Amino acid sequence: MWWKNSVVYQIYPRSFADSNGDGIGDLNGITAHLDYLQKLGVDVVWLSPVYQSPNDDNGYDISDYQNIMQEFGTMEEFDRMLAEMHKRGIRLVMDLVVNHTSDEHAWFIESKKSKENPYRDFYIWREGKDGKEPNNWGACFGGSTWEYDRETDMYYLHCFSKKQPDLNWENKAVRNNIYEMMCWWCEKGIDGFRMDVISMISKEQSYPNGEIHGGSSYADFGPFVCNGPRVHEYLQEMNREVLSKYNLLTVGETAGVTIEEAKKYANLDGTELGMVFQFEHVDLTVGEFGKWTDERFCLKDLREVLNKWQTELEGKAWNSLYWSNHDQPRAVSRFGNDGPMYRKLSAKMLATCLHMMKGTPYIYQGEEIGMTNAYFEKIEEYRDIESIHAFEDAMERNIMAEEDMISALKVISRDNARTPMQWNRSRHAGFTTGTPWIGINQNYLQINAEDALQDADSIFYYYQKLIALRKQYNIVVDGIFYGLLEDDDKIYAYERILGNQKLVVGCNFTDKKVDCTLFDNAEEGEELISNYKHHKKGILKPYEARVILFS
Ligand code: TEU
Ligand code: CA
């Protein structure tokens, strides 16, 4: 399976490169930067949605699965981009968003016309109860998961925004239409799918009330929606009808996934998906106010989660590996140190820690040059529906002071990862000649791709080397993972074993030098990579990462 030794690069098209000066990234902008990706050495691009959409959730609300969003370009430009990727040995994985559509999709426009409409059961309609919503579930972007429709005096389910009605997967016609659409894209030559909230497509059909916790007005739908009763049946059917007919990378974005569920979703028999994204490491700081906190992770918790996923999927399923994506803050800001002193060192350390693990690594656009959070100070600078709704809700319900919510947004808002790619030191960081749809991070004069390409010691070339190591040494792909120093609250260390070879990885997650004897016999092995040229026996320097191969 080719995707086991691949490295994936995620492009958020709206923020990658604008080729026509409208301030919005587009397909031709991607095509113009494929040489950059080829130089980095990535094997696959995961492209966030580019289908027709009113952009209520920046493309994760699709109104036509088989047409390109007008702002991003045309189908011809898509075909050219795909051909140019394949010419460079880069495969394309599309974002498949089939838990829900846009409310502007033709299916929903029909469905809401009448209870008798042939498309009525493409979505999830329920009668209200005592003049209220059918149950007490809360939507991810605020309010109830049920939206009242006067036309037919019923409510429809939407786990995200009210412009993202959930599809009814119980309906075979829905599933058949989706499989046909997926085959259509595979026939065009794409190489896989990242499946948006695919763990949510099978709901508990009784739609029971959930428990309301803390200060919330609504219940969490998770227990009745994530990993639902028929989800594996549906994915096995999708595998038979589509996935098994093509040589695809498939990765499920499985909100709420557990180890046991992952062994089913990403089983090695290939009857469902190739791998899944788990969320335990990026949800470590979720607390009383959900994700809205500026609290930092602790290394022991991080290691416990990632080591668990490494060891418990061994021989059972395949891991994806990621620090960030378009829903998460920037890696170096969240898990490293984005100050001027240690940004480069800690970004390289984080890359080492992740890329030497077992699984398929994902690089989020800009991570390879150490882009940081934007830390927007004013709510007017935010664009993300999740952030804006959360702010409004927090203010309306007085659950925290405005400055506390702003400091949480600065640390955790999805917009931190959605500020435009920083290409060079020209205006708007070379992203656009127009007015960008969202603010540019003002540190682009210090952090941009052009300068990185001129600097042999840049984070870019460090990622390039890590990616190359995966190709050179089988142990990086196949070695079995064993945790080391599992009580240490400063160093993340582990080893990989393959036959008589041992790879030892040590990463200092702090800005202090720390005692460490892990590499005292380093001269008996071969140093594959480090973010320091010189080392001191018995210690690791601030954010020092080292990888030694013993054969
Ligand atoms: O995200 C699913 C999801 O769980 C998100 O709500 C994520 O957990 C949250 O944003 C983190 O706080 C997928 C897409 O990646 C996201 O961009 C979409 O907004 C969402 O589904 C709806 O399609
Ligand atoms: Ca554009």
Side-chain angles (χ1 to χ4, degrees):
M1 287 157 270
W2 58 271
W3 36 270
K4 285 195 166 179
N5 51 27
S6 294
V7 176
V8 184
Y9 186 92
Q10 182 193 355
I11 290 180
Y12 193 68
R14 200 170 188 81
S15 307
F16 189 69
D18 170 22
S19 68
N20 64 348
D22 66 356
I24 297 166
D26 46 54
L27 300 185
N28 287 342
I30 295 171
T31 305
H33 289 85
L34 292 178
D35 289 342
Y36 170 80
L37 298 182
Q38 187 177 23
K39 189 178 187 70
L40 181 59
V42 295
D43 308 282
V44 186
V45 162
W46 153 27
L47 183 59
S48 277
V50 294
Y51 320 98
Q52 224 152 56
S53 162
N55 283 312
D56 191 54
D57 184 15
N58 284 357
Y60 282 91
D61 50 315
I62 295 164
S63 55
D64 184 342
Y65 287 103
Q66 291 169 248
N67 264 311
I68 300 299
M69 189 190 303
Q70 184 266 332
E71 292 172 326
F72 288 154
T74 65
M75 190 57 84
E76 292 68 35
E77 289 163 347
F78 174 86
D79 292 339
R80 190 165 69 85
M81 177 191 73
L82 179 59
E84 289 300 318
M85 284 178 176
H86 284 167
K87 227 188 265 176
R88 291 168 177 79
I90 296 173
R91 289 177 156 112
L92 176 63
V93 164
M94 298 286 274
D95 210 317
L96 183 73
V97 187
V98 291
N99 171 68
H100 49 272
T101 69
S102 163
D103 65 346
E104 299 181 27
H105 193 290
W107 295 340
F108 189 74
I109 291 167
E110 284 302 309
S111 179
K112 68 185 296 227
K113 273 180 185 164
S114 81
K115 294 180 186 176
E116 293 69 42
N117 188 290
Y119 285 91
R120 184 67 174 182
D121 285 343
F122 265 56
Y123 296 87
I124 298 162
W125 294 92
R126 288 289 182 281
E127 306 281 350
K129 279 193 181 125
D130 318 325
K132 287 186 55 171
E133 294 89 359
N135 71 22
N136 64 359
W137 297 357
C140 278
F141 301 150
S144 162
T145 52
W146 299 96
E147 180 67 12
Y148 181 66
D149 170 58
R150 303 186 57 71
E151 198 94 1
T152 57
D153 183 27
M154 287 178 82
Y155 291 79
Y156 66 85
L157 180 76
H158 61 87
C159 289
F160 293 94
S161 88
K162 64 184 179 211
K163 285 184 68 62
Q164 293 172 289
D166 281 57
L167 280 165
N168 172 20
W169 273 73
E170 300 287 322
N171 182 343
K172 186 103 173 84
V174 166
R175 305 202 303 270
N176 289 339
N177 272 280
I178 284 167
Y179 302 154
E180 259 171 60
M181 174 269 289
M182 292 175 72
C183 286
W184 186 83
W185 280 105
C186 292
E187 289 302 316
K188 284 180 73 71
I190 66 161
D191 306 286
F193 294 104
R194 174 266 187 186
M195 299 190 190
D196 190 65
V197 290
I198 202 68
S199 58
M200 292 173 52
I201 58 177
S202 164
K203 276 78 172 173
E204 176 54 58
Q205 288 303 292
S206 59
Y207 292 94
N209 273 335
E211 270 172 48
I212 293 187
H213 297 300
S216 170
S217 325
Y218 296 97
D220 170 14
F221 59 68
F224 314 106
V225 170
C226 295
N227 310 310
R230 299 182 66 184
V231 68
H232 297 292
E233 175 199 333
Y234 296 153
L235 285 176
Q236 286 160 28
E237 181 185 67
M238 180 193 284
N239 190 294
R240 286 194 304 275
E241 301 292 323
V242 184
L243 309 181
S244 56
K245 295 173 181 164
Y246 302 93
N247 187 12
L248 304 176
L249 180 158
T250 52
V251 52
E253 190 219 19
T254 43
V257 70
T258 60
I259 290 277
E260 287 320 304
E261 285 297 319
K263 288 177 184 172
K264 299 176 200 164
Y265 286 119
N267 69 66
L268 299 181
D269 305 333
T271 58
E272 293 191 24
L273 305 178
M275 63 189 109
V276 293
F277 289 131
Q278 58 84 23
F279 287 84
E280 290 182 43
H281 63 316
V282 291
D283 283 350
L284 281 172
T285 50
V286 169
E288 183 192 357
F289 301 118
K291 61 188 276 189
W292 307 110
T293 172
D294 57 7
E295 185 195 331
R296 277 213 36 119
F297 76 102
C298 110
L299 180 62
K300 277 189 173 175
D301 297 341
L302 178 70
R303 176 184 37 243
E304 191 180 321
V305 163
L306 294 181
N307 286 14
K308 175 183 74 170
W309 281 89
Q310 287 286 300
T311 51
E312 297 193 22
L313 291 196
E314 177 56 51
K316 304 270 188 349
W318 191 253
N319 270 299
S320 68
L321 307 168
Y322 73 98
W323 288 130
S324 176
N325 57 41
H326 64 292
D327 291 333
Q328 301 296 334
R330 289 276 177 188
V332 72
S333 299
R334 175 185 227 169
F335 294 109
N337 179 331
D338 61 11
M341 181 101 136
Y342 291 120
R343 182 182 61 84
K344 247 169 110 172
L345 272 173
S346 68
K348 292 175 181 178
M349 180 279 290
L350 289 173
T352 311
C353 185
L354 193 79
H355 281 249
M356 291 295 106
M357 285 185 181
K358 188 164 193 174
T360 297
Y362 288 72
I363 300 169
Y364 178 65
Q365 70 180 43
E367 179 185 328
E368 79 281 3
I369 58 171
M371 276 178 66
T372 71
N373 279 2
Y375 298 116
F376 289 136
E377 293 283 351
K378 297 194 301 294
I379 192 60
E380 295 73 25
E381 298 177 279
Y382 289 87
R383 298 288 178 273
D384 169 26
I385 184 170
E386 181 190 54
S387 301
I388 294 166
H389 267 285
F391 178 82
E392 287 168 354
D393 184 47
M395 294 307 105
E396 263 155 41
R397 296 193 304 117
N398 224 346
I399 52 173
M400 69 170 92
E402 177 164 345
E403 63 269 17
D404 294 340
M405 188 58 192
I406 291 290
S407 69
L409 285 171
K410 284 165 68 173
V411 163
I412 201 82
S413 165
R414 304 194 300 182
D415 277 333
N416 280 304
R418 299 178 180 189
T419 60
M421 184 68 190
Q422 292 158 206
W423 292 107
N424 54 48
R425 276 181 257 157
S426 70
R427 225 163 88 80
H428 301 318
F431 164 71
T432 180
T433 54
T435 306
W437 68 278
I438 186 172
I440 303 276
N441 191 319
Q442 285 314 300
N443 60 18
Y444 70 91
L445 292 173
Q446 294 80 36
I447 303 172
N448 64 75
E450 190 172 271
D451 288 350
L453 291 172
Q454 309 299 324
D455 168 10
D457 189 40
S458 65
I459 301 164
F460 178 93
Y461 287 119
Y462 195 89
Y463 267 88
Q464 183 189 59
K465 198 170 173 195
L466 280 171
I467 294 165
L469 287 178
R470 184 167 287 273
K471 308 269 177 268
Q472 273 170 276
Y473 295 90
N474 292 340
I475 193 168
V476 176
V477 175
D478 299 317
I480 296 181
F481 176 99
Y482 297 94
L484 298 172
L485 306 179
E486 295 196 292
D487 286 335
D488 197 303
D489 61 356
K490 298 181 179 62
I491 301 169
Y492 196 145
Y494 58 85
E495 62 188 11
R496 304 282 305 278
I497 306 287
L498 184 68
N500 65 351
Q501 287 197 319
K502 177 168 76 169
L503 196 66
V504 177
V505 183
C507 299
N508 177 0
F509 265 70
T510 75
D511 58 359
K512 306 276 183 303
K513 69 179 175 25
V514 293
D515 294 338
C516 177
T517 57
L518 198 64
F519 296 112
D520 285 2
N521 65 342
E523 62 284 354
E524 293 164 23
E526 177 196 353
E527 181 174 278
L528 299 192
I529 194 167
S530 175
N531 56 358
Y532 277 87
K533 286 188 178 39
H534 308 293
H535 310 285
K536 200 160 177 301
K537 243 189 205 333
I539 65 150
L540 282 179
K541 297 174 183 175
Y543 298 108
E544 181 171 359
R546 266 191 111 182
V547 180
I548 306 283
L549 175 66
F550 297 95
S551 307

